[in-house]
Amino acid sequence: MSVAKILVVEDEAAIRDMVRLALDKAGFETLEAEDTHQALQVFHDSRVDLLLLDWMLPGQSGLELARRLQREDRTREIPIIMLTARVEENDKVLGLEAGADDYITKPFSPRELVARIKALLRRSRPQAAESPVQVENLMLDPGSHRVSINDHAVTMGPTEFRLLHFLMTHQNRVYSRGQLLDQVWGHNSFVEERTVDVHVLRLRKALSKDGYDRYIQTVRGAGYRFSVQE
Amino acid sequence: MSVAKILVVEDEAAIRDMVRLALDKAGFETLEAEDTHQALQVFHDSRVDLLLLDWMLPGQSGLELARRLQREDRTREIPIIMLTARVEENDKVLGLEAGADDYITKPFSPRELVARIKALLRRSRPQAAESPVQVENLMLDPGSHRVSINDHAVTMGPTEFRLLHFLMTHQNRVYSRGQLLDQVWGHNSFVEERTVDVHVLRLRKALSKDGYDRYIQTVRGAGYRFSVQE
DNA sequence: GACAATTGTAACTTTGCTGTAACATCGATT
DNA sequence: AATCGATGTTACAGCAAAGTTACAATTGTC
């Protein structure tokens, strides 16, 4: 996850523009939607890391959208910041109940907005703060996004990194190509299952130093496994 | 469930043909219906694992069919992918609300279609994590797909693994070759019964360490049995 | 905008599993 | 012990799964 994608759901074009300007400047990628329907569309088509949601929307309200996202696995973990037009206690309470993680009242400064977003992303992205995983002299550190063998850096592509991370944190269990696609590539990718093989090959090449590729094991007819044994 | 059955509800013959071609090639079994009425007929007559539903149908719309399936227990769990002719916001939202799990807009590539189907089938059939089985020092763990005797790894082919798993979870009962073919090979396999003998032999060889092959017992005239006794 | 890195796919190669037939052995029945 | 059906064993051809390579397309970087 290089750049966080932030979806802004807001009917007023002026506010959308202002928000986008602020987010672009802060280095985020901005997605936009004017209403709930468009928002669902965006959720379907791309990964969203954080949702900026206006509470007062034409048609289906932001509240309903939030509740809906709570119901589905794929969207449940996405942090939500709600935008409220004024300090209305009732809205806030409802919003927090519906799964909003934070709120900000208009008018707000771009600086405050960005600060809240960063804070929330930091908190809700355990991956970034996750602890390093080590197996013998093979070490993977999610924080610095580095892999090393005997303190000697090992290079690999992003996909291989995610694959290794998943496997190291789920040792001794066999995962089918399909499961790995779900876990490592994400839920809606149209990728051939055999593609997994190629990335396993690349990962093995990267780990071949000191024979650490032996831990990436093939289980014929079942999938792949990370294990120290055998 | 060896081969997934997919029902295609689509009025245009050209698209039906294209879809069937793609599904056949991907190894799925295809059922077809031109309208809602025929579709209900198919649901009545056979098991359906996934529904590909055109949204624009003559007569009763796909939307109504989806809602109807939601109402009945037997069909509620069937995942639905809807086919929409064009990007029509309203349709998509209505569809997702009516219980569609995914949608795909025409024109679509066979590859994308198959990929989405596979992903959906994978997700909607979460394999229950099976627990390890142990008999004395013989241990079989479905999760890691491993067999060991006295903590020492034992290797065998996929079929022997499935056979041993079945036998260990159904001890002290005799199974005929025919029954074993059904249980271990799958319900519609055209395999000689004597093939079972060969795999039993291979399994026995694999278990011969410490004499664990003695648990795979022949019951003359009846079949095979896994038992600790005798 | 040129260059490098990464990704996904297809094609080809290699590996080893699977199913079958043929032959050997065993056990029961006469 | 002779016979016959059932089971054990072996060998092998075909095939499916996994490994590998090359490449085109995309993406990121300077």
Side-chain angles (χ1 to χ4, degrees), chain B residues 108-129:
Chain B
F108 49 82
S109 71
R111 175 194 305 281
E112 181 181 354
L113 179 67
V114 170
R116 285 191 184 274
I117 288 174
K118 282 186 181 170
L120 207 49
L121 284 177
R122 216 183 292 138
R123 244 173 292 155
S124 67
R125 212 190 319 163
Q127 319 161 9

Side-chain angles (χ1 to χ4, degrees), chain A residues 167-187:
Chain A
L167 290 175
M168 285 183 77
T169 49
H170 296 81
Q171 296 184 36
N172 293 314
R173 194 181 180 310
V174 177
Y175 291 92
S176 69
R177 288 160 227 283
Q179 290 173 320
L180 289 174
L181 282 180
D182 277 354
Q183 297 288 338
V184 178
W185 273 255
H187 281 300

Side-chain angles (χ1 to χ4, degrees), chain B residues 15-42:
Chain B
I15 298 185
R16 276 209 313 278
D17 290 346
M18 185 274 246
V19 168
R20 171 164 36 158
L21 211 67
L23 296 187
D24 284 354
K25 201 176 162 194
F28 294 116
E29 190 171 327
T30 312
L31 304 169
E32 300 186 21
E34 289 185 32
D35 54 38
T36 304
H37 192 247
Q38 284 187 15
L40 286 173
Q41 185 73 32
V42 174

